[in-house]
Amino acid sequence: MSRAPFEYRTVDLTDEEYAADQAVYGGLTTALRRLGEISLLTTVGHDVVADATRQIEEITARLEAEVIPTPNFGVVVTKSRHVRGYGNAVVGMRNPVAPPLTIVQDLVKGGASAEFFLNALYEGPPGKVHGGVLALVLDQIFGEAAAAGGTPGMTGTLTLRYRKPTALGACSASAWVASTAGIKTIVKGELRDADGEVTVEAEGLFILPRWAREQIAESGETPPQYE
Amino acid sequence: MSRAPFEYRTVDLTDEEYAADQAVYGGLTTALRRLGEISLLTTVGHDVVADATRQIEEITARLEAEVIPTPNFGVVVTKSRHVRGYGNAVVGMRNPVAPPLTIVQDLVKGGASAEFFLNALYEGPPGKVHGGVLALVLDQIFGEAAAAGGTPGMTGTLTLRYRKPTALGACSASAWVASTAGIKTIVKGELRDADGEVTVEAEGLFILPRWAREQIAESGETPPQYE
């Protein structure tokens, strides 16, 4: 039997209990996202910056007193066997790097979509979103589209066609299952700027890995649902 | 003549003066990256978190007193006509979202490479790097490889093949110009984990847009060098 390349960390909490606990930490993350953006834009004097830096180091020291002792940082399984990804780099409520996206899954048609705002932290060319950031958000939305279509999997290939630069600001993206064949699912999708113009088209192949199929066959259970 | 989709912000400083100025702000960013990571891992009490959140909001207010008044946030052209991207989402010294990567260009062979560390902030599956984060860093390295080969351009298409999950931690990536034909450059590359195993293979098509070619033809000058 193939070995799973990772294990989920389990917590002895219901979905509701875990969400309530994480929401407190989520407030810290929201404040940090705003500070991150302002830290990039500020032109205040060097003394003010040095003072802020010292204060930030002090806050870090206090938060560092107790930390998660595992290499599986932000993904857990709750009592109800739901996967909660509050550390995820795109959607994580507790991850200051994540914009974060709120992705809406369409379980009927098999798809996923999101409306989001990309600020100065996501810049590549002047005033434009970094092309790689668009790949980052599309990869996450595509994975959730595959799962919504009933055929979850890991990204096998992802192809992005950049039609024009995307202005920083409001964006939206949608993805849908185009076809499935056994363990393989093809997802297609697109990203639009604030004017509704398509700026990126993409296609992805998602594959349910052998270890996951063997886990399902052995336990008779579907894997924990990442939702 | 086609209009450039963006303009560079110019500063009346030499490369050296600008780098020295930004280094002061860069210290703030380094402290913020560390706080971001710890904020995701901390399990300290809710009162400590609430206190830290208030302090962070106060710091933000002080830094917000003076900010850049343009939508072209992190990219500038110095006196010597060099582009400096300290706000870039992948390599920006002043961007807390950026890991950041230090990319080394090979101007002789036409390529680029980087060694870097991806911590818990870049997680997708438990203990593994988010597939989209790998696309993000590869897109930046590929663009710099194309430029190093003498044929700079914007990403036209990018295809990623994920061979296996990439563990969080030390990673490396390299890219090289595989072929050029007029305004089109094909770049190939790969990403390796801490064990040196290739986890992602990628191929990109980079195109010098019409507005850039017209700018070059009109001014007789090459565009500012993004280095």
Side-chain angles (χ1 to χ4, degrees):
Chain A
M1 174 157 177
S2 355
R3 201 168 143 266
F6 50 76
E7 279 175 35
Y8 293 106
R9 184 159 58 93
T10 57
V11 290
D12 191 28
L13 297 169
T14 65
D15 291 0
E16 293 71 24
E17 288 165 347
Y18 186 63
D21 184 61
Q22 295 297 299
V24 175
Y25 296 98
L28 172 67
T29 313
T30 302
L32 268 180
R33 285 194 189 107
R34 179 76 183 140
L35 175 55
E37 183 186 3
I38 294 301
S39 78
L40 175 55
L41 306 180
T42 190
T43 54
V44 296
H46 292 181
D47 53 331
V48 180
V49 172
D51 212 51
T53 304
R54 267 192 302 276
Q55 269 194 287
I56 287 166
E57 286 166 351
E58 282 166 21
I59 296 169
T60 304
R62 285 203 300 280
L63 298 179
E64 210 169 357
E66 293 172 37
V67 291
I68 303 170
T70 155
N72 298 352
F73 297 117
V75 192
V76 307
V77 177
T78 61
K79 267 186 179 173
S80 37
R81 284 182 53 76
H82 286 134
V83 176
R84 296 297 174 212
Y86 292 149
N88 183 285
V90 177
V91 299
M93 173 210 274
R94 280 194 61 180
N95 189 331
V97 161
L101 262 63
T102 303
I103 299 176
V104 180
Q105 286 183 311
D106 183 337
L107 298 172
V108 179
K109 291 184 185 167
S113 61
E115 296 184 0
F116 46 98
F117 191 95
L118 296 174
N119 65 24
L121 291 171
Y122 303 100
E123 191 178 48
K128 307 295 177 187
V129 183
H130 195 294
V133 167
L134 299 171
L136 170 62
V137 300
L138 283 167
D139 179 58
Q140 180 72 28
I141 295 169
F142 271 44
E144 300 207 18
T151 50
M154 312 267 302
T155 315
T157 62
L158 183 64
T159 300
L160 304 132
R161 279 175 294 278
Y162 295 90
R163 291 174 51 164
K164 54 186 291 194
T166 305
L168 288 171
C171 296
S172 64
S174 57
W176 54 91
V177 172
S179 66
T180 59
I183 58 164
K184 295 183 178 180
T185 303
I186 302 279
V187 177
K188 293 187 179 185
E190 57 196 21
L191 190 134
R192 293 170 185 268
D193 63 16
D195 297 329
E197 278 202 75
V198 174
T199 57
V200 189
E201 294 170 329
E203 183 170 327
L205 168 66
F206 289 79
I207 301 168
L208 191 62
R210 192 171 53 159
W211 58 266
R213 301 198 303 276
E214 290 179 354
Q215 238 171 37
I216 295 168
E218 193 191 27
S219 67
E221 284 178 13
T222 53
Q225 274 293 99
Y226 202 122
E227 50 174 68
Chain B
M1 175 158 173
S2 354
R3 199 167 143 265
F6 50 77
E7 279 175 32
Y8 293 105
R9 184 160 60 91
T10 56
V11 289
D12 191 27
L13 297 170
T14 64
D15 292 358
E16 292 71 24
E17 288 165 346
Y18 186 65
D21 184 60
Q22 296 296 299
V24 175
Y25 296 98
L28 172 66
T29 313
T30 302
L32 269 179
R33 284 193 191 108
R34 179 74 183 143
L35 175 55
E37 182 185 4
I38 293 301
S39 78
L40 175 55
L41 306 182
T42 189
T43 53
V44 296
H46 291 181
D47 52 330
V48 180
V49 172
D51 211 52
T53 304
R54 267 192 302 276
Q55 270 194 288
I56 288 166
E57 287 166 351
E58 283 165 20
I59 296 169
T60 305
R62 286 204 298 280
L63 297 179
E64 210 169 357
E66 294 172 36
V67 292
I68 302 171
T70 155
N72 298 351
F73 297 117
V75 191
V76 306
V77 177
T78 61
K79 268 185 178 173
S80 36
R81 282 183 53 77
H82 287 133
V83 175
R84 294 298 175 211
Y86 291 150
N88 183 285
V90 177
V91 299
M93 173 210 274
R94 280 194 59 180
N95 190 331
V97 162
L101 263 62
T102 303
I103 299 176
V104 180
Q105 287 182 310
D106 182 337
L107 298 171
V108 179
K109 291 184 185 168
S113 61
E115 294 184 2
F116 45 98
F117 192 94
L118 296 174
N119 65 24
L121 292 170
Y122 303 99
E123 192 179 45
K128 306 296 177 185
V129 183
H130 195 296
V133 167
L134 299 172
L136 170 61
V137 300
L138 283 168
D139 179 59
Q140 180 72 30
I141 294 170
F142 272 44
E144 300 206 19
T151 50
M154 311 267 302
T155 314
T157 63
L158 183 65
T159 299
L160 304 133
R161 280 175 293 280
Y162 295 91
R163 292 175 50 166
K164 53 184 293 193
T166 306
L168 289 171
C171 296
S172 64
S174 58
W176 54 90
V177 172
S179 65
T180 59
I183 59 165
K184 295 182 179 180
T185 303
I186 303 279
V187 176
K188 293 188 179 184
E190 57 195 21
L191 191 133
R192 293 170 184 268
D193 63 16
D195 297 329
E197 278 201 74
V198 173
T199 57
V200 189
E201 293 169 329
E203 182 170 328
L205 168 65
F206 289 78
I207 301 168
L208 191 63
R210 192 171 53 159
W211 58 266
R213 302 198 302 274
E214 290 179 355
Q215 237 172 38
I216 295 167
E218 193 193 28
S219 67
E221 284 180 11
T222 53
Q225 274 293 101
Y226 201 123
E227 50 176 70

mmCIF file of all heavy atoms in Angstrom, chain A residues 16 38 41 46 58 76 79 84 102 109-110 114 121 130 153 168 171 197 200 226:
data_model
loop_
_atom_site.group_PDB
_atom_site.id
_atom_site.type_symbol
_atom_site.label_atom_id
_atom_site.label_comp_id
_atom_site.label_asym_id
_atom_site.label_seq_id
_atom_site.Cartn_x
_atom_site.Cartn_y
_atom_site.Cartn_z
ATOM 1 N N GLU A 16 -18.025 23.937 14.948
ATOM 2 C CA GLU A 16 -18.438 25.230 15.517
ATOM 3 C C GLU A 16 -17.444 25.696 16.586
ATOM 4 O O GLU A 16 -17.049 26.861 16.614
ATOM 5 C CB GLU A 16 -19.848 25.136 16.121
ATOM 6 C CG GLU A 16 -20.960 24.904 15.092
ATOM 7 C CD GLU A 16 -20.954 23.509 14.474
ATOM 8 O OE1 GLU A 16 -20.431 22.561 15.112
ATOM 9 O OE2 GLU A 16 -21.455 23.367 13.332
ATOM 10 N N ILE A 38 0.131 48.596 4.729
ATOM 11 C CA ILE A 38 0.607 49.944 5.069
ATOM 12 C C ILE A 38 2.132 49.975 5.181
ATOM 13 O O ILE A 38 2.776 50.959 4.794
ATOM 14 C CB ILE A 38 -0.061 50.432 6.382
ATOM 15 C CG1 ILE A 38 -1.562 50.626 6.159
ATOM 16 C CG2 ILE A 38 0.578 51.727 6.888
ATOM 17 C CD1 ILE A 38 -1.925 51.614 5.069
ATOM 18 N N LEU A 41 3.598 50.740 1.912
ATOM 19 C CA LEU A 41 3.260 52.037 1.311
ATOM 20 C C LEU A 41 3.802 53.222 2.101
ATOM 21 O O LEU A 41 3.872 54.342 1.599
ATOM 22 C CB LEU A 41 1.731 52.171 1.217
ATOM 23 C CG LEU A 41 0.993 51.032 0.506
ATOM 24 C CD1 LEU A 41 -0.500 51.309 0.482
ATOM 25 C CD2 LEU A 41 1.512 50.879 -0.917
ATOM 26 N N HIS A 46 12.453 57.503 9.352
ATOM 27 C CA HIS A 46 13.180 56.291 9.733
ATOM 28 C C HIS A 46 13.071 55.977 11.218
ATOM 29 O O HIS A 46 13.082 54.820 11.614
ATOM 30 C CB HIS A 46 14.660 56.417 9.313
ATOM 31 C CG HIS A 46 14.842 56.399 7.817
ATOM 32 N ND1 HIS A 46 16.066 56.476 7.219
ATOM 33 C CD2 HIS A 46 13.945 56.295 6.804
ATOM 34 C CE1 HIS A 46 15.925 56.441 5.891
ATOM 35 N NE2 HIS A 46 14.641 56.332 5.626
ATOM 36 N N GLU A 58 8.709 42.696 19.830
ATOM 37 C CA GLU A 58 8.211 42.409 21.187
ATOM 38 C C GLU A 58 6.910 41.598 21.136
ATOM 39 O O GLU A 58 6.721 40.650 21.893
ATOM 40 C CB GLU A 58 7.969 43.710 21.953
ATOM 41 C CG GLU A 58 9.245 44.358 22.495
ATOM 42 C CD GLU A 58 9.016 45.801 22.935
ATOM 43 O OE1 GLU A 58 7.841 46.169 23.198
ATOM 44 O OE2 GLU A 58 10.006 46.544 23.000
ATOM 45 N N VAL A 76 -6.471 21.029 9.882
ATOM 46 C CA VAL A 76 -6.880 20.074 10.915
ATOM 47 C C VAL A 76 -8.160 19.363 10.491
ATOM 48 O O VAL A 76 -8.865 19.806 9.588
ATOM 49 C CB VAL A 76 -7.142 20.754 12.282
ATOM 50 C CG1 VAL A 76 -5.951 21.592 12.723
ATOM 51 C CG2 VAL A 76 -8.400 21.594 12.244
ATOM 52 N N LYS A 79 -13.900 16.981 14.954
ATOM 53 C CA LYS A 79 -14.672 15.809 15.400
ATOM 54 C C LYS A 79 -15.580 15.260 14.300
ATOM 55 O O LYS A 79 -15.808 14.066 14.205
ATOM 56 C CB LYS A 79 -15.576 16.227 16.571
ATOM 57 C CG LYS A 79 -14.980 16.018 17.944
ATOM 58 C CD LYS A 79 -16.054 16.343 18.988
ATOM 59 C CE LYS A 79 -15.555 16.130 20.397
ATOM 60 N NZ LYS A 79 -16.534 16.597 21.397
ATOM 61 N N ARG A 84 -10.380 21.623 8.057
ATOM 62 C CA ARG A 84 -10.435 23.074 8.202
ATOM 63 C C ARG A 84 -9.056 23.646 7.921
ATOM 64 O O ARG A 84 -8.105 23.319 8.627
ATOM 65 C CB ARG A 84 -10.880 23.457 9.616
ATOM 66 C CG ARG A 84 -12.307 23.008 9.956
ATOM 67 C CD ARG A 84 -13.298 23.698 9.056
ATOM 68 N NE ARG A 84 -14.658 23.219 9.245
ATOM 69 C CZ ARG A 84 -15.568 23.153 8.276
ATOM 70 N NH1 ARG A 84 -15.247 23.499 7.046
ATOM 71 N NH2 ARG A 84 -16.783 22.731 8.522
ATOM 72 N N THR A 102 -12.799 34.014 -0.210
ATOM 73 C CA THR A 102 -13.948 33.227 0.227
ATOM 74 C C THR A 102 -14.490 32.564 -1.035
ATOM 75 O O THR A 102 -15.013 33.238 -1.924
ATOM 76 C CB THR A 102 -15.023 34.131 0.857
ATOM 77 O OG1 THR A 102 -14.426 34.849 1.940
ATOM 78 C CG2 THR A 102 -16.181 33.298 1.384
ATOM 79 N N LYS A 109 -23.660 21.924 -10.077
ATOM 80 C CA LYS A 109 -23.028 21.916 -11.409
ATOM 81 C C LYS A 109 -21.570 21.453 -11.353
ATOM 82 O O LYS A 109 -20.986 21.126 -12.386
ATOM 83 C CB LYS A 109 -23.089 23.311 -12.020
ATOM 84 C CG LYS A 109 -24.512 23.747 -12.400
ATOM 85 C CD LYS A 109 -24.481 25.106 -13.082
ATOM 86 C CE LYS A 109 -25.888 25.622 -13.371
ATOM 87 N NZ LYS A 109 -25.888 27.048 -13.749
ATOM 88 N N GLY A 110 -20.957 21.481 -10.159
ATOM 89 C CA GLY A 110 -19.533 21.140 -10.059
ATOM 90 C C GLY A 110 -18.672 22.309 -10.456
ATOM 91 O O GLY A 110 -18.144 22.373 -11.575
ATOM 92 N N ALA A 114 -15.164 32.935 -6.829
ATOM 93 C CA ALA A 114 -14.806 33.850 -5.742
ATOM 94 C C ALA A 114 -14.699 35.271 -6.271
ATOM 95 O O ALA A 114 -14.325 35.481 -7.423
ATOM 96 C CB ALA A 114 -13.476 33.431 -5.113
ATOM 97 N N LEU A 121 0.032 44.489 -1.957
ATOM 98 C CA LEU A 121 0.880 43.351 -1.567
ATOM 99 C C LEU A 121 0.988 42.302 -2.666
ATOM 100 O O LEU A 121 1.849 41.420 -2.603
ATOM 101 C CB LEU A 121 0.320 42.694 -0.299
ATOM 102 C CG LEU A 121 0.412 43.515 0.986
ATOM 103 C CD1 LEU A 121 -0.373 42.853 2.102
ATOM 104 C CD2 LEU A 121 1.876 43.686 1.396
ATOM 105 N N HIS A 130 0.626 40.539 -9.805
ATOM 106 C CA HIS A 130 1.689 39.607 -10.211
ATOM 107 C C HIS A 130 1.039 38.402 -10.891
ATOM 108 O O HIS A 130 0.100 37.817 -10.348
ATOM 109 C CB HIS A 130 2.452 39.153 -8.968
ATOM 110 C CG HIS A 130 3.761 38.505 -9.267
ATOM 111 N ND1 HIS A 130 3.865 37.298 -9.924
ATOM 112 C CD2 HIS A 130 5.032 38.902 -9.022
ATOM 113 C CE1 HIS A 130 5.139 36.985 -10.056
ATOM 114 N NE2 HIS A 130 5.871 37.943 -9.514
ATOM 115 N N GLY A 153 -9.071 15.990 -5.927
ATOM 116 C CA GLY A 153 -7.766 15.482 -6.349
ATOM 117 C C GLY A 153 -6.694 16.504 -6.079
ATOM 118 O O GLY A 153 -6.962 17.599 -5.600
ATOM 119 N N LEU A 168 -4.552 45.873 -10.196
ATOM 120 C CA LEU A 168 -4.784 45.654 -8.771
ATOM 121 C C LEU A 168 -6.180 46.170 -8.425
ATOM 122 O O LEU A 168 -6.641 47.150 -8.995
ATOM 123 C CB LEU A 168 -3.744 46.416 -7.939
ATOM 124 C CG LEU A 168 -2.313 45.867 -7.953
ATOM 125 C CD1 LEU A 168 -1.365 46.841 -7.278
ATOM 126 C CD2 LEU A 168 -2.231 44.500 -7.281
ATOM 127 N N CYS A 171 -11.308 41.728 -8.244
ATOM 128 C CA CYS A 171 -11.174 40.673 -9.251
ATOM 129 C C CYS A 171 -12.234 39.620 -8.961
ATOM 130 O O CYS A 171 -12.800 39.562 -7.866
ATOM 131 C CB CYS A 171 -9.818 39.985 -9.165
ATOM 132 S SG CYS A 171 -8.396 41.021 -9.507
ATOM 133 N N GLU A 197 -13.652 42.071 -17.619
ATOM 134 C CA GLU A 197 -12.906 41.508 -18.765
ATOM 135 C C GLU A 197 -12.075 40.308 -18.327
ATOM 136 O O GLU A 197 -11.427 40.348 -17.273
ATOM 137 C CB GLU A 197 -11.970 42.564 -19.355
ATOM 138 C CG GLU A 197 -12.683 43.506 -20.296
ATOM 139 C CD GLU A 197 -11.692 44.161 -21.253
ATOM 140 O OE1 GLU A 197 -11.241 43.469 -22.201
ATOM 141 O OE2 GLU A 197 -11.363 45.337 -21.039
ATOM 142 N N VAL A 200 -7.204 36.222 -17.595
ATOM 143 C CA VAL A 200 -6.482 34.943 -17.569
ATOM 144 C C VAL A 200 -7.465 33.805 -17.830
ATOM 145 O O VAL A 200 -8.557 33.782 -17.252
ATOM 146 C CB VAL A 200 -5.801 34.667 -16.205
ATOM 147 C CG1 VAL A 200 -4.885 33.444 -16.289
ATOM 148 C CG2 VAL A 200 -5.029 35.879 -15.708
ATOM 149 N N TYR A 226 -12.463 18.361 2.477
ATOM 150 C CA TYR A 226 -11.844 19.689 2.549
ATOM 151 C C TYR A 226 -12.883 20.680 2.076
ATOM 152 O O TYR A 226 -13.161 20.774 0.904
ATOM 153 C CB TYR A 226 -10.628 19.731 1.631
ATOM 154 C CG TYR A 226 -9.639 20.805 1.996
ATOM 155 C CD1 TYR A 226 -8.325 20.496 2.294
ATOM 156 C CD2 TYR A 226 -10.035 22.143 2.034
ATOM 157 C CE1 TYR A 226 -7.419 21.462 2.631
ATOM 158 C CE2 TYR A 226 -9.119 23.108 2.375
ATOM 159 C CZ TYR A 226 -7.818 22.780 2.663
ATOM 160 O OH TYR A 226 -6.911 23.738 2.991
#
